[in-house]
Amino acid sequence: KKTDPLFVVDLTDARRPRVLGELKIPGFSTYLHRVSRDRLLSVGFDANDHGDYATFDGLLLQLFDVTSPTAPKLLHREKIGSRGSSSTAATDHLAFNYLPERGLLALPVTQCERGGDGVAGTEVAFSGLSVYRVSEATGFERLGGVAHARARDARGCGTWWSHATSEVKRSVFVDDLVYSMATDRVKVQRLGALGVDVADVSLAQ
């Protein structure tokens, strides 16, 4: 089953670690990021439980409350796309970009949806950098995205199983600007006008 519990472990005595609490939820996280003393932000994959097996079902952002070590809680979750959706941040933590003082998250995304044939994960709906506002009270709010689109075909939805990846590899926040870096180009957009390029620099030789 595609289930990965969140464990809270007491390491006071390093020779005798103890599990104090756990939270079992569908899916699994591939990266956990501490956003405050008692909050964890994760990126991973959702899953549909079918009893004796489970299927992957899109990228997953989650915000956890670990204030009580014996009773960790899931505060918010945000599912991105369907089966086939992927992100470099799922396998490379350097692609995960969180700005704590502003609650901003930039996440490289290949977002796959059901194609015209109704099969999940066969059509790329968005490829680029998605920007979210993260709030303990309201959860995840997508502010927009910096598109790095290529030909929309099934090939962009085929890397999630063996190696999660995306066109965008890195991002940087600078004042009111976000820099989105892919293998072939760097784009710059304003946070208040996502979708409109301030600069688009090709890296092609």
Side-chain angles (χ1 to χ4, degrees):
K1 291 188 178 182
K2 311 301 187 293
T3 302
D4 183 15
L6 174 70
F7 291 99
V8 180
V9 181
D10 181 2
L11 298 176
T12 304
D13 184 347
R15 294 171 298 179
R16 296 181 178 82
R18 296 186 303 131
V19 175
L20 299 181
E22 65 178 275
L23 176 64
K24 290 186 177 181
I25 48 180
F28 61 95
S29 299
T30 57
Y31 176 63
L32 287 170
H33 188 88
R34 188 176 183 180
V35 297
S36 69
R37 177 180 175 83
D38 301 312
R39 300 292 183 267
L40 296 175
L41 175 58
S42 77
V43 59
F45 295 91
D46 197 10
N48 285 325
D49 191 346
H50 298 278
D52 58 349
Y53 73 98
T55 56
F56 292 101
D57 192 29
L59 280 169
L60 191 62
L61 296 174
Q62 297 179 109
L63 187 64
F64 296 101
D65 178 356
V66 291
T67 304
S68 172
T70 59
K73 299 177 182 178
L74 174 63
L75 295 179
H76 301 285
R77 72 195 309 264
E78 176 79 5
K79 180 184 168 186
I80 303 170
S82 67
R83 182 181 179 91
S85 298
S86 184
S87 173
T88 298
T91 53
D92 181 355
H93 71 279
L94 296 177
F96 184 94
N97 183 10
Y98 180 72
L99 192 63
E101 57 268 28
R102 299 174 66 182
L104 292 174
L105 169 67
L107 188 75
V109 169
T110 298
Q111 181 176 335
C112 298
E113 301 290 356
R114 293 183 180 275
D117 56 2
V119 178
T122 59
E123 181 176 308
V124 177
F126 175 79
S127 177
L129 184 76
S130 284
V131 180
Y132 291 86
R133 190 174 305 281
V134 183
S135 166
E136 181 179 336
T138 59
F140 300 94
E141 176 191 2
R142 189 175 186 274
L143 302 180
V146 183
H148 284 253
R150 287 190 173 182
R152 295 191 174 190
D153 57 31
R155 289 178 299 173
C157 301
T159 60
W160 61 279
W161 178 265
S162 59
H163 178 65
T165 189
S166 50
E167 291 293 330
V168 174
K169 305 302 181 185
R170 299 287 188 271
S171 63
V172 178
F173 290 115
V174 180
D175 297 326
D176 68 333
L177 300 173
V178 59
Y179 289 70
S180 175
M181 289 158 267
T183 54
D184 64 336
R185 65 197 324 102
V186 175
K187 285 191 172 188
V188 184
Q189 295 187 4
R190 297 191 184 281
L191 290 170
L194 291 170
V196 180
D197 291 336
V198 174
D200 183 352
V201 181
S202 174
L203 301 179
Q205 295 296 326

